[in-house]
Amino acid sequence: AQSVTQPDIHITVSEGASLELRCNYSYGATPYLFWYVQSPGQGLQLLLKYFSGDTLVQGIKGFEAEFKRSQSSFNLRKPSVHWSDAAEYFCAANTDKLIFGTGTRLQVFP
Amino acid sequence: NAGVTQTPKFQVLKTGQSMTLQCAQDMNHNSMYWYRQDPGMGLRLIYYSASEGTTDKGEVPNGYNVSRLNKREFSLRLESAAPSQTSVYFCASSGEVGDWGEQYFGPGTRLTVT
């Protein structure tokens, strides 16, 4: 069955540290891939997306993600985290329907 | 430009009561969606409408009905609420028919069923 896995439920980093959030997908073919962010009490906002082409995609708020076909992964990265990045992050994939991972909650310490 | 709006923001129901969650978008999008979000489970699709006049079941449709009133509005109805329907409900829209990727989300409705 098609699925999206985010193995880390909760991650804590210090402000200024680098960040990598993991995402793996299980699909027969390469799906379209997305990262969304949800701030407390808010809806979801699209950070970035991958459809095809360059495997390193840039998004908003200084985030980037790298698609690795061999690992079925689409990990989200940021070189230097800010306190305002504390939120929940969702990886999602679609071929005919959008399927979300269970999310990773990011906590940032000053 | 309001994007996707949802009403109400919060609601408490007793078991067996009915209610309708309203959603509207002003982006002239064709497709609209209803999701529920539960802790540790991500977002799960309840129903969607690929275009005006059509609706289809998603992953968890039981206990819900929807109406695509016009291109702008897509409502979700709980006919007889159950505690298992306590959740946060999100409406979303996307531009092209079947464009499942770039969805725009409303702020959510937090529903508690006692």
Side-chain angles (χ1 to χ4, degrees):
Chain A
Q2 298 170 339
S3 66
V4 175
T5 302
Q6 293 180 248
D8 303 305
I9 296 172
H10 187 203
I11 284 183
T12 301
V13 300
S14 298
E15 191 170 19
S18 63
L19 172 71
E20 182 168 30
L21 302 182
R22 296 183 290 165
C23 174
N24 293 94
Y25 62 90
S26 175
Y27 279 73
T30 299
Y32 296 163
L33 294 161
F34 309 86
W35 275 98
Y36 284 85
V37 60
Q38 184 182 29
S39 297
Q42 304 295 314
L44 278 72
Q45 181 183 22
L46 182 69
L47 281 176
L48 47 79
K49 60 189 178 187
Y50 173 76
F51 286 172
S52 64
D54 193 346
T55 57
L56 186 63
V57 294
Q58 302 297 321
I60 62 171
K61 305 186 183 202
F63 285 92
E64 65 179 26
E66 185 171 15
F67 168 65
K68 292 186 177 179
R69 186 189 306 274
S70 62
Q71 298 177 18
S72 297
S73 69
F74 188 57
N75 294 350
L76 182 71
R77 300 195 296 246
K78 187 169 185 179
S80 178
V81 170
H82 188 264
W83 64 266
S84 60
D85 293 324
E88 189 148 21
Y89 292 79
F90 292 93
C91 183
N94 96 67
T95 52
D96 60 349
K97 288 185 177 56
L98 194 61
I99 296 176
F100 287 86
T102 51
T104 298
R105 183 167 297 279
L106 175 65
Q107 193 170 7
V108 181
F109 281 119
Chain B
N1 189 342
V4 180
T5 57
Q6 293 182 236
T7 55
K9 284 188 169 51
F10 301 94
Q11 183 71 49
V12 178
L13 292 178
K14 294 188 188 323
T15 297
Q17 288 185 317
S18 62
M19 78 160 295
T20 299
L21 281 64
Q22 305 287 354
C23 174
Q25 52 90 8
D26 62 3
M27 296 174 281
N28 201 35
H29 283 168
N30 287 305
S31 301
M32 298 184 73
Y33 315 84
W34 277 106
Y35 294 90
R36 59 178 290 171
Q37 183 179 33
D38 302 293
M41 302 190 73
L43 276 76
R44 293 181 292 168
L45 183 65
I46 304 171
Y47 270 94
Y48 66 98
S49 171
S51 61
E52 188 178 354
T54 70
T55 61
D56 285 287
K57 295 178 181 179
E59 182 185 355
V60 288
N62 291 344
Y64 306 95
N65 285 298
V66 291
S67 295
R68 183 75 182 266
L69 304 169
N70 48 55
K71 191 171 185 178
R72 289 187 65 249
E73 299 172 290
F74 188 39
S75 63
L76 178 72
R77 182 159 178 84
L78 287 70
E79 291 291 353
S80 178
S84 61
Q85 293 178 305
T86 293
S87 188
V88 182
Y89 292 86
F90 287 100
C91 178
S93 70
S94 64
E96 300 298 322
V97 173
D99 178 10
W100 289 92
E102 195 156 356
Q103 296 184 15
Y104 296 80
F105 284 81
T109 294
R110 188 173 295 274
L111 175 67
T112 302
V113 183
T114 61

Short mmCIF file of all heavy atoms in Angstrom, two decimals, chain A residues 34 36 38 41-44 46 49 90 94 96-98 100-102, chain B residues 35 37 40-43 45 48 57 90 100-103 105-107:
data_model
loop_
_atom_site.label_atom_id
_atom_site.label_comp_id
_atom_site.label_asym_id
_atom_site.label_seq_id
_atom_site.Cartn_x
_atom_site.Cartn_y
_atom_site.Cartn_z
N PHE A 34 5.96 16.54 -1.12
CA PHE A 34 5.72 17.85 -0.52
C PHE A 34 6.13 17.86 0.94
O PHE A 34 6.10 16.83 1.62
CB PHE A 34 4.21 18.20 -0.59
CG PHE A 34 3.61 18.03 -1.93
CD1 PHE A 34 3.13 16.79 -2.35
CD2 PHE A 34 3.54 19.09 -2.80
CE1 PHE A 34 2.59 16.62 -3.61
CE2 PHE A 34 2.99 18.94 -4.07
CZ PHE A 34 2.53 17.70 -4.47
N TYR A 36 4.89 20.24 4.24
CA TYR A 36 4.02 21.27 4.79
C TYR A 36 4.45 21.56 6.23
O TYR A 36 4.95 20.69 6.93
CB TYR A 36 2.56 20.81 4.82
CG TYR A 36 1.86 20.81 3.49
CD1 TYR A 36 1.97 19.73 2.63
CD2 TYR A 36 1.07 21.89 3.10
CE1 TYR A 36 1.30 19.72 1.41
CE2 TYR A 36 0.39 21.88 1.89
CZ TYR A 36 0.52 20.79 1.05
OH TYR A 36 -0.13 20.79 -0.16
N GLN A 38 2.94 23.25 9.95
CA GLN A 38 1.74 23.66 10.69
C GLN A 38 2.17 24.30 12.01
O GLN A 38 2.69 23.62 12.89
CB GLN A 38 0.83 22.47 10.95
CG GLN A 38 -0.47 22.83 11.64
CD GLN A 38 -1.35 21.62 11.94
OE1 GLN A 38 -0.86 20.52 12.14
NE2 GLN A 38 -2.65 21.82 11.94
N GLY A 41 -2.24 25.77 16.24
CA GLY A 41 -3.55 26.37 16.02
C GLY A 41 -3.80 26.87 14.61
O GLY A 41 -4.81 27.54 14.37
N GLN A 42 -2.92 26.55 13.70
CA GLN A 42 -3.05 27.03 12.32
C GLN A 42 -3.29 25.89 11.35
O GLN A 42 -3.15 24.71 11.69
CB GLN A 42 -1.78 27.78 11.91
CG GLN A 42 -1.40 28.94 12.82
CD GLN A 42 -2.43 30.04 12.78
OE1 GLN A 42 -2.89 30.43 11.71
NE2 GLN A 42 -2.82 30.54 13.93
N GLY A 43 -3.61 26.27 10.13
CA GLY A 43 -3.68 25.28 9.06
C GLY A 43 -2.30 24.97 8.53
O GLY A 43 -1.29 25.40 9.07
N LEU A 44 -2.24 24.19 7.47
CA LEU A 44 -0.96 23.78 6.90
C LEU A 44 -0.53 24.74 5.80
O LEU A 44 -1.35 25.19 5.00
CB LEU A 44 -1.07 22.37 6.31
CG LEU A 44 -0.93 21.21 7.30
CD1 LEU A 44 -2.15 21.10 8.19
CD2 LEU A 44 -0.68 19.91 6.56
N LEU A 46 2.33 25.16 2.62
CA LEU A 46 3.28 24.45 1.78
C LEU A 46 4.66 25.08 1.89
O LEU A 46 4.82 26.29 1.68
CB LEU A 46 2.81 24.47 0.33
CG LEU A 46 3.69 23.72 -0.66
CD1 LEU A 46 3.63 22.22 -0.40
CD2 LEU A 46 3.26 24.03 -2.09
N LYS A 49 7.96 21.63 -2.83
CA LYS A 49 7.42 20.48 -3.53
C LYS A 49 8.44 19.99 -4.55
O LYS A 49 9.28 20.75 -5.03
CB LYS A 49 6.13 20.86 -4.24
CG LYS A 49 6.30 21.97 -5.27
CD LYS A 49 4.95 22.46 -5.78
CE LYS A 49 5.15 23.60 -6.77
NZ LYS A 49 3.87 24.22 -7.18
N PHE A 90 4.94 18.16 8.13
CA PHE A 90 4.34 17.01 7.50
C PHE A 90 4.91 16.81 6.11
O PHE A 90 4.95 17.73 5.30
CB PHE A 90 2.82 17.17 7.37
CG PHE A 90 2.09 17.15 8.68
CD1 PHE A 90 1.82 18.33 9.35
CD2 PHE A 90 1.68 15.95 9.23
CE1 PHE A 90 1.15 18.32 10.56
CE2 PHE A 90 1.00 15.93 10.44
CZ PHE A 90 0.74 17.12 11.11
N ASN A 94 1.82 12.14 -3.43
CA ASN A 94 0.63 11.76 -4.17
C ASN A 94 0.96 11.19 -5.53
O ASN A 94 1.94 11.55 -6.16
CB ASN A 94 -0.34 12.93 -4.28
CG ASN A 94 -0.20 13.69 -5.59
OD1 ASN A 94 -0.49 13.17 -6.66
ND2 ASN A 94 0.24 14.90 -5.52
N ASP A 96 -2.37 9.66 -6.96
CA ASP A 96 -3.74 10.05 -7.27
C ASP A 96 -4.42 10.72 -6.09
O ASP A 96 -5.40 11.44 -6.28
CB ASP A 96 -4.55 8.84 -7.73
CG ASP A 96 -4.63 7.74 -6.68
OD1 ASP A 96 -3.90 7.82 -5.68
OD2 ASP A 96 -5.43 6.81 -6.85
N LYS A 97 -3.97 10.48 -4.88
CA LYS A 97 -4.48 11.17 -3.70
C LYS A 97 -3.30 11.58 -2.84
O LYS A 97 -2.26 10.92 -2.82
CB LYS A 97 -5.41 10.26 -2.89
CG LYS A 97 -6.76 10.01 -3.55
CD LYS A 97 -7.68 9.22 -2.65
CE LYS A 97 -9.04 9.03 -3.29
NZ LYS A 97 -9.01 8.41 -4.61
N LEU A 98 -3.51 12.67 -2.11
CA LEU A 98 -2.42 13.16 -1.26
C LEU A 98 -2.43 12.38 0.05
O LEU A 98 -3.45 12.32 0.73
CB LEU A 98 -2.63 14.65 -1.00
CG LEU A 98 -1.46 15.44 -0.42
CD1 LEU A 98 -0.27 15.40 -1.35
CD2 LEU A 98 -1.89 16.87 -0.16
N PHE A 100 -0.49 11.89 3.74
CA PHE A 100 0.39 12.58 4.67
C PHE A 100 1.10 11.59 5.58
O PHE A 100 0.54 10.55 5.96
CB PHE A 100 -0.41 13.54 5.54
CG PHE A 100 -0.88 14.78 4.82
CD1 PHE A 100 -2.06 14.77 4.11
CD2 PHE A 100 -0.13 15.94 4.85
CE1 PHE A 100 -2.50 15.90 3.45
CE2 PHE A 100 -0.56 17.08 4.20
CZ PHE A 100 -1.74 17.06 3.49
N GLY A 101 2.33 11.95 5.96
CA GLY A 101 2.98 11.26 7.07
C GLY A 101 2.34 11.70 8.37
O GLY A 101 1.47 12.58 8.39
N THR A 102 2.79 11.11 9.47
CA THR A 102 2.17 11.39 10.76
C THR A 102 2.75 12.64 11.43
O THR A 102 2.28 13.04 12.48
CB THR A 102 2.33 10.20 11.70
OG1 THR A 102 3.70 9.81 11.73
CG2 THR A 102 1.50 9.02 11.22
N TYR B 35 -10.40 17.14 5.43
CA TYR B 35 -9.53 16.24 6.17
C TYR B 35 -9.88 16.30 7.66
O TYR B 35 -10.38 17.30 8.14
CB TYR B 35 -8.06 16.66 6.05
CG TYR B 35 -7.46 16.56 4.67
CD1 TYR B 35 -7.52 17.63 3.78
CD2 TYR B 35 -6.78 15.41 4.28
CE1 TYR B 35 -6.92 17.54 2.53
CE2 TYR B 35 -6.19 15.32 3.03
CZ TYR B 35 -6.26 16.39 2.16
OH TYR B 35 -5.66 16.29 0.93
N GLN B 37 -7.74 15.67 11.40
CA GLN B 37 -6.41 15.51 11.96
C GLN B 37 -6.52 15.02 13.39
O GLN B 37 -7.14 15.69 14.22
CB GLN B 37 -5.63 16.83 11.93
CG GLN B 37 -4.20 16.69 12.44
CD GLN B 37 -3.43 18.00 12.40
OE1 GLN B 37 -3.98 19.07 12.57
NE2 GLN B 37 -2.12 17.91 12.16
N GLY B 40 -0.98 11.92 16.20
CA GLY B 40 -0.21 10.76 15.79
C GLY B 40 -0.68 10.10 14.50
O GLY B 40 -0.14 9.06 14.11
N MET B 41 -1.66 10.72 13.83
CA MET B 41 -2.19 10.07 12.62
C MET B 41 -2.11 10.96 11.39
O MET B 41 -2.60 10.60 10.33
CB MET B 41 -3.64 9.63 12.86
CG MET B 41 -3.78 8.69 14.03
SD MET B 41 -5.40 7.94 14.15
CE MET B 41 -5.34 6.79 12.80
N GLY B 42 -1.53 12.11 11.51
CA GLY B 42 -1.44 12.98 10.35
C GLY B 42 -2.83 13.44 9.91
O GLY B 42 -3.76 13.52 10.71
N LEU B 43 -2.97 13.75 8.64
CA LEU B 43 -4.26 14.17 8.09
C LEU B 43 -4.83 13.02 7.27
O LEU B 43 -4.12 12.42 6.46
CB LEU B 43 -4.09 15.40 7.20
CG LEU B 43 -4.08 16.74 7.91
CD1 LEU B 43 -2.76 16.99 8.59
CD2 LEU B 43 -4.39 17.87 6.92
N LEU B 45 -8.02 11.96 4.64
CA LEU B 45 -9.01 12.53 3.74
C LEU B 45 -10.39 11.93 4.03
O LEU B 45 -10.56 10.71 4.04
CB LEU B 45 -8.60 12.27 2.30
CG LEU B 45 -9.47 12.85 1.21
CD1 LEU B 45 -9.44 14.38 1.24
CD2 LEU B 45 -9.02 12.33 -0.16
N TYR B 48 -13.74 14.48 -0.93
CA TYR B 48 -13.20 15.52 -1.79
C TYR B 48 -14.16 15.79 -2.94
O TYR B 48 -15.07 14.99 -3.23
CB TYR B 48 -11.81 15.14 -2.32
CG TYR B 48 -11.78 13.95 -3.25
CD1 TYR B 48 -11.76 14.12 -4.63
CD2 TYR B 48 -11.74 12.65 -2.75
CE1 TYR B 48 -11.71 13.03 -5.49
CE2 TYR B 48 -11.69 11.56 -3.59
CZ TYR B 48 -11.67 11.75 -4.96
OH TYR B 48 -11.63 10.66 -5.80
N LYS B 57 -15.68 9.83 -1.99
CA LYS B 57 -15.21 9.43 -0.68
C LYS B 57 -13.69 9.38 -0.64
O LYS B 57 -13.04 9.01 -1.61
CB LYS B 57 -15.78 8.06 -0.31
CG LYS B 57 -17.28 8.03 -0.16
CD LYS B 57 -17.78 6.63 0.15
CE LYS B 57 -19.30 6.61 0.28
NZ LYS B 57 -19.81 5.25 0.56
N PHE B 90 -9.99 20.09 8.72
CA PHE B 90 -9.41 21.06 7.80
C PHE B 90 -10.05 20.94 6.43
O PHE B 90 -10.23 19.83 5.91
CB PHE B 90 -7.91 20.85 7.66
CG PHE B 90 -7.13 21.27 8.87
CD1 PHE B 90 -6.71 20.33 9.80
CD2 PHE B 90 -6.82 22.61 9.09
CE1 PHE B 90 -5.99 20.71 10.92
CE2 PHE B 90 -6.11 23.00 10.21
CZ PHE B 90 -5.69 22.05 11.13
N TRP B 100 -3.69 17.29 -6.98
CA TRP B 100 -3.66 16.88 -5.59
C TRP B 100 -2.52 17.48 -4.80
O TRP B 100 -2.48 17.38 -3.60
CB TRP B 100 -3.57 15.36 -5.53
CG TRP B 100 -4.83 14.73 -5.97
CD1 TRP B 100 -5.15 14.34 -7.22
CD2 TRP B 100 -5.96 14.48 -5.16
NE1 TRP B 100 -6.42 13.83 -7.23
CE2 TRP B 100 -6.93 13.89 -6.00
CE3 TRP B 100 -6.24 14.66 -3.81
CZ2 TRP B 100 -8.18 13.50 -5.52
CZ3 TRP B 100 -7.47 14.26 -3.34
CH2 TRP B 100 -8.42 13.70 -4.19
N GLY B 101 -1.61 18.09 -5.49
CA GLY B 101 -0.41 18.47 -4.78
C GLY B 101 -0.51 19.74 -4.00
O GLY B 101 -0.41 19.74 -2.78
N GLU B 102 -0.62 20.84 -4.69
CA GLU B 102 -0.48 22.13 -4.04
C GLU B 102 -1.82 22.55 -3.47
O GLU B 102 -2.58 23.28 -4.10
CB GLU B 102 0.05 23.16 -5.01
CG GLU B 102 0.54 24.41 -4.34
CD GLU B 102 1.56 25.15 -5.17
OE1 GLU B 102 1.95 24.65 -6.25
OE2 GLU B 102 1.98 26.22 -4.74
N GLN B 103 -2.09 22.08 -2.29
CA GLN B 103 -3.35 22.40 -1.65
C GLN B 103 -3.17 23.54 -0.66
O GLN B 103 -2.15 23.66 0.00
CB GLN B 103 -3.90 21.16 -0.92
CG GLN B 103 -4.23 20.04 -1.89
CD GLN B 103 -4.86 18.84 -1.21
OE1 GLN B 103 -5.32 18.91 -0.08
NE2 GLN B 103 -4.89 17.72 -1.92
N PHE B 105 -4.80 25.35 2.69
CA PHE B 105 -5.59 24.91 3.83
C PHE B 105 -6.24 26.06 4.57
O PHE B 105 -5.66 27.15 4.69
CB PHE B 105 -4.72 24.13 4.80
CG PHE B 105 -4.40 22.74 4.33
CD1 PHE B 105 -3.40 22.52 3.41
CD2 PHE B 105 -5.14 21.66 4.80
CE1 PHE B 105 -3.12 21.23 2.96
CE2 PHE B 105 -4.87 20.37 4.36
CZ PHE B 105 -3.85 20.16 3.44
N GLY B 106 -7.42 25.79 5.10
CA GLY B 106 -8.07 26.71 6.02
C GLY B 106 -7.48 26.56 7.41
O GLY B 106 -6.65 25.69 7.66
N PRO B 107 -7.93 27.38 8.37
CA PRO B 107 -7.37 27.38 9.72
C PRO B 107 -7.86 26.25 10.60
O PRO B 107 -7.31 26.03 11.68
CB PRO B 107 -7.81 28.73 10.28
CG PRO B 107 -9.07 29.04 9.55
CD PRO B 107 -8.89 28.48 8.18
#
